[in-house]
Amino acid sequence: MSTDRPFLPYGRQSIDDADVDAVAAVLRSDWLTTGPAVDAFEAAFATATGAPHAVCCANGTAALHMAYHALGVGPGDKVVVPSVTFLATASTAHLLGAEIVFADVDPDTALMTADTLQAALDRAGSGVAAIAPVHLAGQMADMDAIGTLARAAGASIVEDACHAVGGLDAAGRAVGGGATGDLMTFSLHPVKTIAAGEGGVVTTADGALAERMRLFRNHGMSRNDFTAPDQAFAADGEANPWYYEMTEPALNYRLSDIHAALATSQLARLPDFVARRRALAARYDAAFASLPAHVSAVVRPSGRSGYGYPAWHLYVVLIDFEALGRDRAAVMGELRAHGIGSQVHYLPLHRQPFFRQQYGRSDLPGADAWYARALSLPLFVGMQDEDVDRVVDALHGLCEGR
Ligand SMILES: Cc1ncc(COP(=O)(O)O)c(C=O)c1O
């Protein structure tokens, strides 16, 4: 089937003239990287989230790597990660030498819960250095319950909030403000709520962790606290102007001024983005609620965690493919033929061949049940209300054999 209506991807950035002007201004300036646009973005992100410190970086993967590194995660440590997440939540801790312990998730929300975390902690035994709840689709895991369990286990918390910028926790505080987690990580990838092209941020209330991340994103280069005075200082006692020391081997994870300028401009639009995403999600909810019962038995919105106020990065439905009589690839193909993109978030990490090889097969029925049914539908700021109706109509039609 062909369609003359525009294709609806599952996610897409929204770029306006102000965004373009912000990038152009940097291109005309003296600083393409390590310049004032980076500082301005960090200040704006800290203000928007209420975080004492915001450290930006090259992408959300780098943000996770910096966060785990700042906590000192390394060989001998265990890190608990929900199985339903993007690769980076686990792979960055693995790269640092930690063992990953996969927690199961609620089958209807894909979020780590107090029960699934407790079960993972019981399996892990001692040595859990960090717990990394993921606010999947923009819904927050229950951070009050997770915080209590983490404290009891002596573990730090890295909140993977790559989907959750613009959301609020149960007390109405912005995600990223540091109410529970020691560190909170964000991605500025174009399908996320604010786009920098590539980009990431870590927020924290802990100045020492922020400082460690600033060093790690910049080769571990320090221009203070020199340990080799014979090389550091000139005869007059002043520091040699070219001199720096490597505190430890590290990486170049800097965000450029070009990306930072786009990110700042997008951040100014965040309240509008969040309002539109919430309106689109509410329209999906209402449309699905109005479907006949035999259709709702086959396709329905994913569950609600009931914790906090999401900014909805993804709109996920749960489909009983067996009852529908088609598998997920066929449904995705038929939606595509209607000009509708869809995606799966995610193949659970305990099913990834690499992790199976590392840790053997795991029994995580919640993650498997989510994976068997989940499909992310188009959700982006530029969508029209009618686009939502079109997506729901298409799914309705599939259920009715049309
Ligand atoms: C939950 C989650 N964590 C981490 C990342 C990594 O972010 P980035 O793509 O910016 O490296 C992503 C992005 O796909 C993500 O969805």
Side-chain angles (χ1 to χ4, degrees), residues 39-372:
D39 299 337
F41 173 59
E42 290 188 338
F45 201 85
T47 302
T49 54
H53 305 277
V55 182
C56 67
C57 57
N59 51 59
T61 305
L64 285 157
H65 198 189
M66 292 190 338
Y68 290 132
H69 174 268
L71 291 172
V73 167
D77 289 332
K78 294 171 187 162
V79 174
V80 177
V81 172
S83 183
V84 178
T85 183
F86 184 58
L87 305 171
T89 322
S91 62
T92 49
H94 181 87
L95 274 171
L96 289 165
E99 178 186 333
I100 309 301
V101 178
F102 291 116
D104 204 3
V105 297
D106 179 299
D108 285 351
T109 64
L111 299 177
M112 181 194 271
T113 67
D115 288 346
T116 64
L117 173 56
Q118 185 62 64
L121 290 170
D122 292 345
R123 262 188 288 121
S126 60
V128 176
I131 296 168
V134 177
H135 302 319
L136 199 97
Q139 289 212 92
M140 285 189 85
D142 181 344
M143 290 312 301
D144 298 326
I146 289 172
T148 303
L149 291 176
R151 277 189 293 279
S156 299
I157 297 179
V158 175
E159 290 179 50
D160 184 338
C162 285
H163 293 188
V165 70
L168 304 174
D169 73 8
R173 296 167 296 207
V175 174
T180 311
D182 298 279
L183 296 147
M184 282 128 290
T185 67
F186 297 86
S187 165
L188 309 175
H189 183 275
V191 297
K192 302 293 193 299
T193 300
I194 60 171
E198 296 282 357
V201 192
V202 188
T203 60
T204 181
D206 185 324
L209 292 177
E211 188 48 35
R212 200 152 183 226
M213 292 189 291
R214 289 184 197 287
L215 280 170
F216 190 62
R217 78 169 172 193
N218 194 27
H219 307 283
M221 281 165 65
S222 171
R223 294 182 190 274
N224 311 302
D225 302 328
F226 295 134
T227 60
D230 56 319
Q231 304 185 99
F233 299 106
D236 63 3
E238 290 297 312
N240 286 319
W242 66 86
Y243 188 77
Y244 50 78
E245 289 184 357
M246 185 180 83
T247 53
E248 61 182 327
L251 294 159
N252 176 357
Y253 273 166
R254 295 187 302 259
L255 187 74
S256 80
D257 282 53
I258 304 167
H259 296 90
L262 179 54
T264 304
S265 180
Q266 290 262 299
L267 193 58
R269 302 174 62 201
L270 181 62
D272 291 343
F273 287 172
V274 171
R276 185 66 191 139
R277 285 178 173 277
R278 286 188 174 141
L280 290 165
R283 191 168 181 103
Y284 267 125
D285 286 350
F288 280 114
S290 70
L291 295 178
H294 68 279
V295 177
S296 305
V298 176
V299 51
R300 63 180 170 91
S302 64
R304 301 302 141 102
S305 75
Y307 182 94
Y309 308 91
W312 295 115
H313 162 52
L314 300 173
Y315 192 89
V316 184
V317 287
L318 301 177
I319 300 179
D320 182 340
F321 292 101
E322 210 178 310
L324 187 60
R326 293 172 175 85
D327 67 16
R328 182 161 41 201
V331 170
M332 291 176 79
E334 291 187 47
L335 288 175
R336 177 162 278 274
H338 282 83
I340 296 166
S342 57
Q343 193 46 275
V344 179
H345 297 93
Y346 294 95
L347 173 71
L349 297 188
H350 74 278
R351 288 169 163 253
Q352 279 290 343
F354 177 85
F355 288 120
R356 272 188 181 166
Q357 209 181 352
Q358 290 283 313
Y359 306 126
R361 288 178 186 250
S362 317
D363 181 26
L364 299 176
D368 287 337
W370 168 270
Y371 177 58

